[in-house]
Amino acid sequence: MSTTTAGHDTSQYSFSNAAHEGDEQLGLLAAILDENSTGVLGRTGITAGWRCLDIGSGAGTLTHWMAGRVGPGGHVTSLDLDPRHVPAAANVTVRQGDVRTAELPADHYDLIHARLLLLHLSDRDAVIRRLVAALRPGGLLVTSDWDTTRRDVVLHAPGEAAAAFEAFQDALLGILEDNGADLGWARRAALSLRAAGLADVRTEVHNRLWPGGTAANLLHASNSHQLRDALLARGVSAQQLDLVRTAMRDPQTLVYCYPTYTSIGRRPGG
């Protein structure tokens, strides 16, 4: 997930790019999400010469995909609290900063993209207004977040793994909520974009089933390691975590990913 952290509000990002599992986690997120994200971004009409802002860039895969589309006459700025995993390039500027407080040029960007970011911020509506102000008239805001409110994501898991996975998920999502996340905000994102003054707002929903040993299930295993102490503190047992990790690598396991809600809006004018 893209990086945010505690700031002037009560929200705090639950994961860390600097953690031992950080690089693996970001790579898995890219493997899960990039195919859909590049399809959505490609349909925005992104083309040579555009100026883009990619917020919470993670591994930088979408930053560099956009850089390839805008070419040498365009430019992409990557903004992340910890951009250590984002490579530099001739038409890419990598900035360390918090989207809630970082200086953003007014009326500037053709496209602003934020993935797995806004659901974590309790002041997300204020952030959206900041982003809208940074768009040029006619510019586009694209937000993608997971709706994690459904618990019936396991289609098949061996033995007691399904029950262990449910306990793991309840604890994990509880940690996110304690840190200020709104687990169902993605379904309502279009309302936030409209309230911020964007026009032509639309939402696309994407999901798929993943077998054990593939990226979405390996992400659960990675998260179980990164947040181990917090999960144990919420009552998940070490045995349950072991069951989850084993099942997430078993090809017989079938788990749906969280549905991705991507909302797109255009700043009027231009």
Side-chain angles (χ1 to χ4, degrees), residues 8-68:
H8 57 275
D9 71 349
T10 59
S11 58
Q12 174 178 314
Y13 190 59
S14 302
F15 301 95
S16 171
N17 286 358
H20 176 71
E21 298 84 4
D23 186 48
E24 175 189 49
Q25 181 196 42
L26 294 176
L28 291 170
L29 287 168
I32 297 164
L33 295 167
D34 277 7
E35 181 178 3
N36 179 62
S37 292
T38 55
V40 171
L41 290 170
R43 291 191 292 276
T44 66
I46 181 173
T47 190
W50 276 29
R51 293 170 296 187
C52 303
L53 174 63
D54 188 24
I55 307 167
S57 310
T61 52
L62 292 181
T63 294
H64 282 266
W65 181 89
M66 287 189 281

Side-chain angles (χ1 to χ4, degrees), residues 128-176:
I128 290 171
R129 291 192 295 270
R130 296 194 82 223
L131 299 180
V132 170
L135 286 171
R136 66 163 181 82
L140 299 170
L141 174 62
V142 180
T143 71
S144 290
D145 283 290
W146 277 333
D147 177 354
T148 61
T149 56
R150 293 194 63 167
R151 297 296 195 270
D152 58 338
V153 295
V154 177
L155 184 62
H156 174 76
E160 299 178 1
F165 183 83
E166 183 175 352
F168 159 70
Q169 283 292 284
D170 286 344
L172 173 66
L173 298 175
I175 292 167
L176 268 61

